[in-house]
Amino acid sequence: MTLLDVRDLSIRFKTPEGVVQAVEGLSFALAQGGTLGIVGESGAGKSQTAMAVLGLLARNAKVSGSIRFEDRDLLKLPESQLSKLRGNRIAMVFQDPMTSLNPYLRVEVQLGEVLERHRGLSRSAARAESLRLMQAVHIPDAAQRLRSYPHELSGGQRQRVMIAIALACQPALLLADEPTTALDVTVQAQILRLFAELKKDFGVAMILITHDLGVVAEVCEHTMVMYAGRAVESGATQTLLNAPAHPYTRALLEARPRIDTPLTDRLLALRGQPPNLLQLPPGCAFAPRCPIAVDVCTQSVPALRSIETAHLAACIRV
Amino acid sequence: MLRLALLRFASAVPTLLLLLVLAFFMMRAAPGGPFDTERSLPPEILAKLEQAYHLDEPLWKQFARYIGGAVQGDLGPSFQYSDFTVNQLILQGLPVSLRVGLGAMVLALFVGCAAGIVAALRHNRFSDYAVMTLAMTGMSIPVFVIAPLLILLFAVTLGWLPAGGWQDGGLRDMALPVVALALPQIAILARLMRGSMIEVLNSNYIRTARAKGLATRTVILRHALRPALMPVLSYLGPASAGIITGSVVIEQIFGIPGIGRYFVQAALNRDYTLVMGVVVFYGTLIILFNFLVDMLYGVLDPRVRAE
């Protein structure tokens, strides 16, 4: 059953420099308990998409389209209703656990307040439940850690606390925005394992935002690649990684350092710069950096079309 | 925490000593002396007076004598109020000055912070611009201009409040001086509070708090207020200094019998010991206040506490 259905989502920001087109005509769906990876460079619109789902876009944002979640259009819900969903049915884990927890409040307060707010638990009941959640995300000395301040925890522990907060009300949907980017590689692996485990135990649907294709491969069933605010390719993660269709996806895959091929002098990088969102190039936004672009590419924006079953790509050359 | 307290305390001693040296020698560098009058005294009487107050001794010896007394809490006799010691005069003025000063401080804190928070929450909207314009005005007008304007409006034109004086030290007596003293601080605090609140509201942990679906009230009061108050807190030291220096002017304008008024009189009369006494007393007070602020920092910020 479809849990989240995003249709034709566009997000624009009015800034003194002009209108920034952060997301344009984005559509995707997520089934209950499913996992979707959203991949792309900085500025591709991944994070803003997540913020739109939470209804937490900046005040200068203009949004259109629809975001249906459990049969309600989130874009049409009043703030009072949205705030009841946030942290409750839809939860989010952010990139930087160092700064995402309030340095002035003990962990038990930051974890307990979600339980008090959404599940109506008393302070003492919230404390007991907090302890259980801390154990569920494998924080050692959970009781003692509840009394800690964030600066007394390691980066990995802080991210585990963030995840415990996100899971506190057993959300139907978990948005994770680069949840492992700020962590050490070994800790990254642990956190990813935790996500996989929680997905199994809690049955939560997950959107994992990342620029790391390795992360996607590990956790996500489906993957959507974004470029300059649009989806350029989407499909089952295995298909996408084994047989990428869009030249941007292919370039991303080629840019990954690999252990099984001899090391060349330098890392492969995508040529050119990500486009300026204030002034997108005409036609396909990737055309200026594309190795197989032809003249037609700059004439109109290519639509996302099916190239095989459940595999879509927005490129006229494939 | 204890180490920090001791360290801060130890560093206060040289500060105070430097203040003493500066005040003592600056005062002596000023022309004239405590016993200069319209008609000059006969030389033998002047000599007797100077002997009685040890003014005939070399300067360094006088300074040493002063320090010796001050360390034991004796600020010497007043040169002008011949029957009083400086300690007595300061203690006499203290309750009055304290009422006005604390009143101004409390008023400035509440109004300034509230205005700053409102401006931050309504960032770039009308209330924000209104508060900031008022604050800019408040900061640019000196106390000695605000005070007469307030008197003109509320005492002369409207006749609601007394233009000055200190009858019973009640609210009516306090209203105008306290407001005049607090206004510049309100302006500074409002700007400070607004700036830090806006910064905190844009922080990642406030984004987290919002993503948790907390009520806006909870986000502001539980998550944003304390961190946003930290810069305000560190301004309390300078604020207390500002209010003390302001009170010297305000007490003079409103005819309030506090320490500040003694200070102005003493400076004009070259009442060396009284000037020194007030400098030492207020200097200690400011240092003490800064010390308390530092300690409060540790209490409020768990990260400072840990160090």
PDB file of all heavy atoms in Angstrom, chain B residues 86-112:
ATOM      1  N   VAL B  86      34.049  58.210  55.089  1.00  0.00           N
ATOM      2  CA  VAL B  86      33.573  57.850  53.747  1.00  0.00           C
ATOM      3  C   VAL B  86      32.658  56.621  53.836  1.00  0.00           C
ATOM      4  O   VAL B  86      31.637  56.543  53.158  1.00  0.00           O
ATOM      5  CB  VAL B  86      34.766  57.597  52.809  1.00  0.00           C
ATOM      6  CG1 VAL B  86      34.307  57.016  51.492  1.00  0.00           C
ATOM      7  CG2 VAL B  86      35.521  58.884  52.579  1.00  0.00           C
ATOM      8  N   ASN B  87      33.033  55.677  54.691  1.00  0.00           N
ATOM      9  CA  ASN B  87      32.202  54.483  54.856  1.00  0.00           C
ATOM     10  C   ASN B  87      30.767  54.854  55.221  1.00  0.00           C
ATOM     11  O   ASN B  87      29.816  54.334  54.666  1.00  0.00           O
ATOM     12  CB  ASN B  87      32.768  53.592  55.958  1.00  0.00           C
ATOM     13  CG  ASN B  87      34.049  52.920  55.541  1.00  0.00           C
ATOM     14  OD1 ASN B  87      34.735  53.421  54.653  1.00  0.00           O
ATOM     15  ND2 ASN B  87      34.380  51.813  56.174  1.00  0.00           N
ATOM     16  N   GLN B  88      30.646  55.787  56.174  1.00  0.00           N
ATOM     17  CA  GLN B  88      29.306  56.200  56.598  1.00  0.00           C
ATOM     18  C   GLN B  88      28.521  56.818  55.452  1.00  0.00           C
ATOM     19  O   GLN B  88      27.354  56.511  55.239  1.00  0.00           O
ATOM     20  CB  GLN B  88      29.412  57.206  57.748  1.00  0.00           C
ATOM     21  CG  GLN B  88      29.778  56.557  59.069  1.00  0.00           C
ATOM     22  CD  GLN B  88      30.096  57.599  60.130  1.00  0.00           C
ATOM     23  OE1 GLN B  88      30.574  58.701  59.830  1.00  0.00           O
ATOM     24  NE2 GLN B  88      29.817  57.248  61.377  1.00  0.00           N
ATOM     25  N   LEU B  89      29.200  57.688  54.675  1.00  0.00           N
ATOM     26  CA  LEU B  89      28.509  58.376  53.574  1.00  0.00           C
ATOM     27  C   LEU B  89      28.032  57.363  52.532  1.00  0.00           C
ATOM     28  O   LEU B  89      26.904  57.441  52.034  1.00  0.00           O
ATOM     29  CB  LEU B  89      29.435  59.406  52.939  1.00  0.00           C
ATOM     30  CG  LEU B  89      29.715  60.648  53.810  1.00  0.00           C
ATOM     31  CD1 LEU B  89      30.774  61.524  53.173  1.00  0.00           C
ATOM     32  CD2 LEU B  89      28.431  61.447  54.030  1.00  0.00           C
ATOM     33  N   ILE B  90      28.908  56.423  52.199  1.00  0.00           N
ATOM     34  CA  ILE B  90      28.537  55.428  51.174  1.00  0.00           C
ATOM     35  C   ILE B  90      27.376  54.576  51.673  1.00  0.00           C
ATOM     36  O   ILE B  90      26.407  54.331  50.943  1.00  0.00           O
ATOM     37  CB  ILE B  90      29.748  54.549  50.801  1.00  0.00           C
ATOM     38  CG1 ILE B  90      30.746  55.379  49.985  1.00  0.00           C
ATOM     39  CG2 ILE B  90      29.309  53.322  50.003  1.00  0.00           C
ATOM     40  CD1 ILE B  90      31.965  54.625  49.538  1.00  0.00           C
ATOM     41  N   LEU B  91      27.459  54.149  52.926  1.00  0.00           N
ATOM     42  CA  LEU B  91      26.378  53.326  53.465  1.00  0.00           C
ATOM     43  C   LEU B  91      25.066  54.090  53.503  1.00  0.00           C
ATOM     44  O   LEU B  91      23.995  53.511  53.321  1.00  0.00           O
ATOM     45  CB  LEU B  91      26.738  52.842  54.881  1.00  0.00           C
ATOM     46  CG  LEU B  91      27.662  51.633  54.889  1.00  0.00           C
ATOM     47  CD1 LEU B  91      28.003  51.227  56.314  1.00  0.00           C
ATOM     48  CD2 LEU B  91      27.007  50.464  54.152  1.00  0.00           C
ATOM     49  N   GLN B  92      25.165  55.396  53.719  1.00  0.00           N
ATOM     50  CA  GLN B  92      23.976  56.233  53.760  1.00  0.00           C
ATOM     51  C   GLN B  92      23.318  56.309  52.369  1.00  0.00           C
ATOM     52  O   GLN B  92      22.102  56.225  52.229  1.00  0.00           O
ATOM     53  CB  GLN B  92      24.398  57.631  54.188  1.00  0.00           C
ATOM     54  CG  GLN B  92      23.317  58.431  54.844  1.00  0.00           C
ATOM     55  CD  GLN B  92      23.911  59.742  55.353  1.00  0.00           C
ATOM     56  OE1 GLN B  92      24.358  60.573  54.558  1.00  0.00           O
ATOM     57  NE2 GLN B  92      23.941  59.909  56.662  1.00  0.00           N
ATOM     58  N   GLY B  93      24.170  56.491  51.333  1.00  0.00           N
ATOM     59  CA  GLY B  93      23.624  56.642  49.981  1.00  0.00           C
ATOM     60  C   GLY B  93      23.254  55.305  49.355  1.00  0.00           C
ATOM     61  O   GLY B  93      22.429  55.247  48.440  1.00  0.00           O
ATOM     62  N   LEU B  94      23.857  54.234  49.872  1.00  0.00           N
ATOM     63  CA  LEU B  94      23.702  52.934  49.205  1.00  0.00           C
ATOM     64  C   LEU B  94      22.256  52.469  49.018  1.00  0.00           C
ATOM     65  O   LEU B  94      21.887  52.091  47.901  1.00  0.00           O
ATOM     66  CB  LEU B  94      24.512  51.871  49.961  1.00  0.00           C
ATOM     67  CG  LEU B  94      24.499  50.480  49.322  1.00  0.00           C
ATOM     68  CD1 LEU B  94      25.117  50.526  47.940  1.00  0.00           C
ATOM     69  CD2 LEU B  94      25.239  49.472  50.189  1.00  0.00           C
ATOM     70  N   PRO B  95      21.418  52.498  50.066  1.00  0.00           N
ATOM     71  CA  PRO B  95      20.058  51.976  49.863  1.00  0.00           C
ATOM     72  C   PRO B  95      19.321  52.693  48.737  1.00  0.00           C
ATOM     73  O   PRO B  95      18.619  52.055  47.944  1.00  0.00           O
ATOM     74  CB  PRO B  95      19.367  52.241  51.206  1.00  0.00           C
ATOM     75  CG  PRO B  95      20.446  52.465  52.175  1.00  0.00           C
ATOM     76  CD  PRO B  95      21.627  52.969  51.428  1.00  0.00           C
ATOM     77  N   VAL B  96      19.522  54.007  48.653  1.00  0.00           N
ATOM     78  CA  VAL B  96      18.843  54.783  47.615  1.00  0.00           C
ATOM     79  C   VAL B  96      19.384  54.410  46.233  1.00  0.00           C
ATOM     80  O   VAL B  96      18.627  54.095  45.305  1.00  0.00           O
ATOM     81  CB  VAL B  96      19.025  56.291  47.875  1.00  0.00           C
ATOM     82  CG1 VAL B  96      18.377  57.099  46.767  1.00  0.00           C
ATOM     83  CG2 VAL B  96      18.444  56.652  49.231  1.00  0.00           C
ATOM     84  N   SER B  97      20.706  54.416  46.100  1.00  0.00           N
ATOM     85  CA  SER B  97      21.313  54.090  44.805  1.00  0.00           C
ATOM     86  C   SER B  97      20.972  52.660  44.381  1.00  0.00           C
ATOM     87  O   SER B  97      20.737  52.387  43.203  1.00  0.00           O
ATOM     88  CB  SER B  97      22.828  54.226  44.877  1.00  0.00           C
ATOM     89  OG  SER B  97      23.170  55.578  45.001  1.00  0.00           O
ATOM     90  N   LEU B  98      20.951  51.780  45.365  1.00  0.00           N
ATOM     91  CA  LEU B  98      20.660  50.380  45.073  1.00  0.00           C
ATOM     92  C   LEU B  98      19.245  50.231  44.520  1.00  0.00           C
ATOM     93  O   LEU B  98      19.028  49.491  43.553  1.00  0.00           O
ATOM     94  CB  LEU B  98      20.809  49.569  46.374  1.00  0.00           C
ATOM     95  CG  LEU B  98      21.299  48.140  46.226  1.00  0.00           C
ATOM     96  CD1 LEU B  98      22.635  48.102  45.527  1.00  0.00           C
ATOM     97  CD2 LEU B  98      21.404  47.468  47.583  1.00  0.00           C
ATOM     98  N   ARG B  99      18.306  50.924  45.136  1.00  0.00           N
ATOM     99  CA  ARG B  99      16.918  50.858  44.670  1.00  0.00           C
ATOM    100  C   ARG B  99      16.815  51.299  43.227  1.00  0.00           C
ATOM    101  O   ARG B  99      16.230  50.610  42.391  1.00  0.00           O
ATOM    102  CB  ARG B  99      16.039  51.772  45.529  1.00  0.00           C
ATOM    103  CG  ARG B  99      15.503  51.148  46.777  1.00  0.00           C
ATOM    104  CD  ARG B  99      14.686  52.173  47.524  1.00  0.00           C
ATOM    105  NE  ARG B  99      13.342  52.294  46.981  1.00  0.00           N
ATOM    106  CZ  ARG B  99      12.309  51.650  47.496  1.00  0.00           C
ATOM    107  NH1 ARG B  99      12.473  50.877  48.535  1.00  0.00           N
ATOM    108  NH2 ARG B  99      11.115  51.790  46.967  1.00  0.00           N
ATOM    109  N   VAL B 100      17.410  52.455  42.941  1.00  0.00           N
ATOM    110  CA  VAL B 100      17.322  52.996  41.579  1.00  0.00           C
ATOM    111  C   VAL B 100      18.066  52.096  40.597  1.00  0.00           C
ATOM    112  O   VAL B 100      17.547  51.741  39.534  1.00  0.00           O
ATOM    113  CB  VAL B 100      17.891  54.429  41.534  1.00  0.00           C
ATOM    114  CG1 VAL B 100      17.880  54.963  40.114  1.00  0.00           C
ATOM    115  CG2 VAL B 100      17.070  55.337  42.443  1.00  0.00           C
ATOM    116  N   GLY B 101      19.277  51.694  40.978  1.00  0.00           N
ATOM    117  CA  GLY B 101      20.107  50.892  40.074  1.00  0.00           C
ATOM    118  C   GLY B 101      19.494  49.530  39.788  1.00  0.00           C
ATOM    119  O   GLY B 101      19.387  49.112  38.638  1.00  0.00           O
ATOM    120  N   LEU B 102      19.091  48.836  40.849  1.00  0.00           N
ATOM    121  CA  LEU B 102      18.497  47.511  40.655  1.00  0.00           C
ATOM    122  C   LEU B 102      17.184  47.615  39.885  1.00  0.00           C
ATOM    123  O   LEU B 102      16.898  46.800  39.008  1.00  0.00           O
ATOM    124  CB  LEU B 102      18.262  46.825  41.999  1.00  0.00           C
ATOM    125  CG  LEU B 102      19.479  46.155  42.620  1.00  0.00           C
ATOM    126  CD1 LEU B 102      19.103  45.450  43.908  1.00  0.00           C
ATOM    127  CD2 LEU B 102      20.090  45.160  41.642  1.00  0.00           C
ATOM    128  N   GLY B 103      16.413  48.655  40.237  1.00  0.00           N
ATOM    129  CA  GLY B 103      15.145  48.879  39.518  1.00  0.00           C
ATOM    130  C   GLY B 103      15.401  49.003  38.020  1.00  0.00           C
ATOM    131  O   GLY B 103      14.740  48.364  37.190  1.00  0.00           O
ATOM    132  N   ALA B 104      16.414  49.816  37.682  1.00  0.00           N
ATOM    133  CA  ALA B 104      16.724  50.032  36.269  1.00  0.00           C
ATOM    134  C   ALA B 104      17.203  48.735  35.623  1.00  0.00           C
ATOM    135  O   ALA B 104      16.833  48.409  34.493  1.00  0.00           O
ATOM    136  CB  ALA B 104      17.789  51.116  36.136  1.00  0.00           C
ATOM    137  N   MET B 105      18.015  47.980  36.356  1.00  0.00           N
ATOM    138  CA  MET B 105      18.558  46.738  35.816  1.00  0.00           C
ATOM    139  C   MET B 105      17.441  45.737  35.520  1.00  0.00           C
ATOM    140  O   MET B 105      17.388  45.140  34.441  1.00  0.00           O
ATOM    141  CB  MET B 105      19.538  46.150  36.836  1.00  0.00           C
ATOM    142  CG  MET B 105      20.310  44.971  36.319  1.00  0.00           C
ATOM    143  SD  MET B 105      21.349  45.444  34.944  1.00  0.00           S
ATOM    144  CE  MET B 105      22.928  44.947  35.533  1.00  0.00           C
ATOM    145  N   VAL B 106      16.548  45.567  36.486  1.00  0.00           N
ATOM    146  CA  VAL B 106      15.453  44.611  36.319  1.00  0.00           C
ATOM    147  C   VAL B 106      14.540  45.038  35.172  1.00  0.00           C
ATOM    148  O   VAL B 106      14.188  44.243  34.296  1.00  0.00           O
ATOM    149  CB  VAL B 106      14.657  44.478  37.641  1.00  0.00           C
ATOM    150  CG1 VAL B 106      13.384  43.679  37.417  1.00  0.00           C
ATOM    151  CG2 VAL B 106      15.517  43.822  38.705  1.00  0.00           C
ATOM    152  N   LEU B 107      14.206  46.322  35.166  1.00  0.00           N
ATOM    153  CA  LEU B 107      13.345  46.845  34.094  1.00  0.00           C
ATOM    154  C   LEU B 107      14.001  46.630  32.728  1.00  0.00           C
ATOM    155  O   LEU B 107      13.372  46.141  31.782  1.00  0.00           O
ATOM    156  CB  LEU B 107      13.092  48.340  34.333  1.00  0.00           C
ATOM    157  CG  LEU B 107      12.167  49.010  33.323  1.00  0.00           C
ATOM    158  CD1 LEU B 107      10.736  48.557  33.557  1.00  0.00           C
ATOM    159  CD2 LEU B 107      12.259  50.531  33.424  1.00  0.00           C
ATOM    160  N   ALA B 108      15.294  46.970  32.643  1.00  0.00           N
ATOM    161  CA  ALA B 108      16.005  46.840  31.368  1.00  0.00           C
ATOM    162  C   ALA B 108      16.026  45.384  30.906  1.00  0.00           C
ATOM    163  O   ALA B 108      15.793  45.086  29.734  1.00  0.00           O
ATOM    164  CB  ALA B 108      17.431  47.374  31.503  1.00  0.00           C
ATOM    165  N   LEU B 109      16.271  44.481  31.850  1.00  0.00           N
ATOM    166  CA  LEU B 109      16.345  43.069  31.490  1.00  0.00           C
ATOM    167  C   LEU B 109      15.025  42.566  30.936  1.00  0.00           C
ATOM    168  O   LEU B 109      14.970  41.942  29.876  1.00  0.00           O
ATOM    169  CB  LEU B 109      16.718  42.241  32.718  1.00  0.00           C
ATOM    170  CG  LEU B 109      18.181  41.898  32.868  1.00  0.00           C
ATOM    171  CD1 LEU B 109      18.404  41.086  34.117  1.00  0.00           C
ATOM    172  CD2 LEU B 109      18.643  41.109  31.643  1.00  0.00           C
ATOM    173  N   PHE B 110      13.948  42.858  31.666  1.00  0.00           N
ATOM    174  CA  PHE B 110      12.653  42.333  31.236  1.00  0.00           C
ATOM    175  C   PHE B 110      12.195  42.957  29.929  1.00  0.00           C
ATOM    176  O   PHE B 110      11.883  42.255  28.971  1.00  0.00           O
ATOM    177  CB  PHE B 110      11.607  42.545  32.335  1.00  0.00           C
ATOM    178  CG  PHE B 110      11.600  41.425  33.328  1.00  0.00           C
ATOM    179  CD1 PHE B 110      12.342  41.507  34.500  1.00  0.00           C
ATOM    180  CD2 PHE B 110      10.890  40.265  33.065  1.00  0.00           C
ATOM    181  CE1 PHE B 110      12.368  40.460  35.401  1.00  0.00           C
ATOM    182  CE2 PHE B 110      10.912  39.216  33.967  1.00  0.00           C
ATOM    183  CZ  PHE B 110      11.649  39.310  35.141  1.00  0.00           C
ATOM    184  N   VAL B 111      12.193  44.289  29.896  1.00  0.00           N
ATOM    185  CA  VAL B 111      11.686  44.963  28.692  1.00  0.00           C
ATOM    186  C   VAL B 111      12.616  44.701  27.505  1.00  0.00           C
ATOM    187  O   VAL B 111      12.166  44.382  26.401  1.00  0.00           O
ATOM    188  CB  VAL B 111      11.512  46.466  28.945  1.00  0.00           C
ATOM    189  CG1 VAL B 111      11.018  47.159  27.700  1.00  0.00           C
ATOM    190  CG2 VAL B 111      10.551  46.686  30.100  1.00  0.00           C
ATOM    191  N   GLY B 112      13.921  44.809  27.752  1.00  0.00           N
ATOM    192  CA  GLY B 112      14.881  44.627  26.661  1.00  0.00           C
ATOM    193  C   GLY B 112      14.796  43.238  26.059  1.00  0.00           C
ATOM    194  O   GLY B 112      14.715  43.077  24.839  1.00  0.00           O
TER     195      GLY B 112
END
